[in-house]
Amino acid sequence: SLRQGGRLEEAQVVMARAAEISHRHPFSVSGLAVIHARRGRPICAGVYQELLERAISTYVPLTQLVLTAEASGLRDEASELAR
């Protein structure tokens, strides 16, 4: 993948487009959050909150919640979810 190959700027562009066309599917949203974090630019906790709110009415994989919380700098929340 672009992210694993260290092509983070390109990966961010691709993942942002994936999030857009997928109507912000949890996999693309969490992937985008991880890419931002790896680039040293963690995104706001609002993205994590977005997935939490979505999880009320639809299935959001726990893994995506943990990854997004961690990437948003919410380590305590990520640890709590991972337990």
Side-chain angles (χ1 to χ4, degrees):
S1 78
L2 294 171
R3 180 175 56 103
Q4 292 171 333
R7 297 165 55 189
L8 296 177
E9 188 173 327
E10 192 176 350
Q12 181 178 330
V13 170
V14 171
M15 193 58 76
R17 179 69 178 135
E20 179 184 333
I21 64 175
S22 70
H23 303 286
R24 301 198 49 89
H25 190 280
F27 284 101
S28 58
V29 171
S30 66
L32 188 57
V34 168
I35 291 167
H36 274 276
R38 291 217 174 141
R39 291 189 72 199
R41 304 174 183 161
I43 56 178
C44 70
V47 175
Y48 171 65
Q49 190 63 38
E50 172 189 340
L51 290 184
L52 276 181
E53 289 174 13
R54 185 178 293 174
I56 293 169
S57 61
T58 189
Y59 176 70
V60 175
L62 183 60
T63 302
Q64 299 340 112
L65 290 171
V66 171
L67 288 171
T68 305
E70 177 69 29
S72 299
L74 302 170
R75 289 188 174 87
D76 291 341
E77 288 86 343
S79 294
E80 188 64 32
L81 286 168
R83 289 184 196 178

